[in-house]
Amino acid sequence: MKNNRVSLSVNINKIATIRNARGGNVPDVLLAAQRIESFGAQGITVHPRPDERHITYSDVYNLSKIVTTEFNVEGYPSPDFLKMVEDVKPHQVTLVPDPPGVLTSNAGWDTLTHASFLKDVIAQLKAGGMRTSVFVDTDLKMIDGAVEIGADRIELYTESYAVNFHNDKAAAVQPFSLAAAHGAGLGLKINAGHDLDLANLKFFAASIPELVEVSIGHALISDALYYGLENTVQMYLRQLHEA
Ligand code: PXP
């Protein structure tokens, strides 16, 4: 029987990066999102950045009208970002502590230092009917902090797992197993993302029974160049189904 425990949310930022390289509407981000959903993905993720170098704020408004699966919007909770998600009301908002200039997210939140800011943001988002998830490293204190600020979920930052996977996959996943069990024990649901790919995804999902969602962008969109988008989405889904 197929195991549908873990949802695949496809991050489509890279499709917007290709589009923006030419200034027109090729490839069409909205069409890609619809296709990805029709191929079986359970969610679409976008991460608009203040410089709009890939997904633009206008993309987020447009996508919100056509996404029929779970819509997850990630980002730093600046006033502009908060206004946008208040307007669009995605199913889930993933709060990420990235400063404006970084290429990609490179750390989880310090949920203790930023507790009072995050608590207010989360209360505002929840009052608007949105689920909240907080991007964190595997440090258990930061996960305790996520509970204190009222987050519904945490998204575990998996870069270190991906880097260490090729040397010793059991050691690589161990901090994530501990963190997921700890968070779930405190009532959090567990998401994960960053640098997950066809090689490392199945072992990660199999090792973490508490995992409910992964968001995957760079590797999946790159694989689609070789295998096609439909095949690729289904290859990733198979890794999760078999985990
Ligand atoms: N989660 C967060 C918070 C991210 O910033 C990103 C990258 O935008 C991802 C997940 C997806 O990472 P990747 O593109 O490496 O799959």
Side-chain angles (χ1 to χ4, degrees):
M1 216 181 64
K2 266 201 329 192
N3 166 9
N4 283 323
R5 169 175 60 91
V6 185
S7 298
L8 172 66
S9 186
V10 176
N11 179 319
I12 58 171
N13 280 5
K14 285 284 154 26
I15 296 176
T17 304
I18 300 173
R19 177 200 59 192
N20 296 356
R22 274 294 171 97
N25 195 36
V26 176
D28 181 337
V29 166
L30 300 184
L31 183 61
Q34 286 173 318
R35 292 276 166 86
I36 287 166
E37 290 183 317
S38 75
F39 301 146
Q42 293 93 352
I44 298 292
T45 291
V46 289
H47 189 155
R49 306 215 182 230
D51 61 4
E52 301 194 313
R53 65 180 178 271
H54 34 61
I55 286 290
T56 64
Y57 277 35
S58 144
D59 287 330
V60 178
Y61 283 88
N62 292 332
L63 283 162
S64 74
K65 297 187 192 111
I66 59 112
V67 169
T68 56
T69 57
E70 182 191 278
F71 191 33
N72 175 42
V73 179
E74 301 180 343
Y76 180 83
S78 64
D80 285 350
F81 178 88
L82 289 172
K83 167 157 189 347
M84 179 189 61
V85 291
E86 281 294 333
D87 288 346
V88 158
K89 299 229 184 303
H91 301 102
Q92 177 171 273
V93 178
T94 300
L95 301 174
V96 183
D98 49 349
V102 298
L103 264 186
T104 185
S105 310
N106 55 14
W109 280 103
D110 180 335
T111 56
L112 304 178
T113 303
H114 302 287
S116 98
F117 170 60
L118 288 172
K119 198 172 189 167
D120 289 350
V121 166
I122 286 172
Q124 181 186 335
L125 295 171
K126 281 174 135 177
M130 290 162 267
R131 186 208 292 152
T132 56
S133 179
V134 177
F135 193 54
V136 287
D137 295 298
T138 53
D139 182 340
L140 302 187
K141 286 200 188 64
M142 297 306 145
I143 295 171
D144 293 340
V147 176
E148 286 299 313
I149 58 179
D152 301 299
R153 295 190 178 191
I154 49 173
E155 180 180 326
L156 294 172
Y157 173 33
T158 46
E159 191 209 4
S160 67
Y161 165 72
V163 169
N164 297 325
F165 174 82
H166 297 284
N167 301 329
D168 182 344
K169 58 187 178 180
V173 86
Q174 199 216 16
F176 292 87
S177 306
L178 293 173
H182 185 77
L186 296 171
L188 295 167
K189 290 233 165 31
I190 311 298
N191 297 348
H194 224 287
D195 296 305
L196 294 174
D197 63 20
L198 279 175
N200 64 33
L201 178 61
K202 184 169 163 180
F203 182 74
F204 188 82
S207 305
I208 304 200
E210 299 84 3
L211 188 66
V212 296
E213 182 179 308
V214 287
S215 86
I216 308 184
H218 184 80
L220 190 154
I221 302 302
S222 302
D223 285 334
L225 296 173
Y226 312 124
Y227 307 125
L229 191 53
E230 178 167 12
N231 273 329
T232 302
V233 169
Q234 285 166 6
M235 287 163 88
Y236 277 79
L237 286 171
R238 211 171 303 131
Q239 299 302 306
L240 293 171
H241 292 158
E242 291 172 0

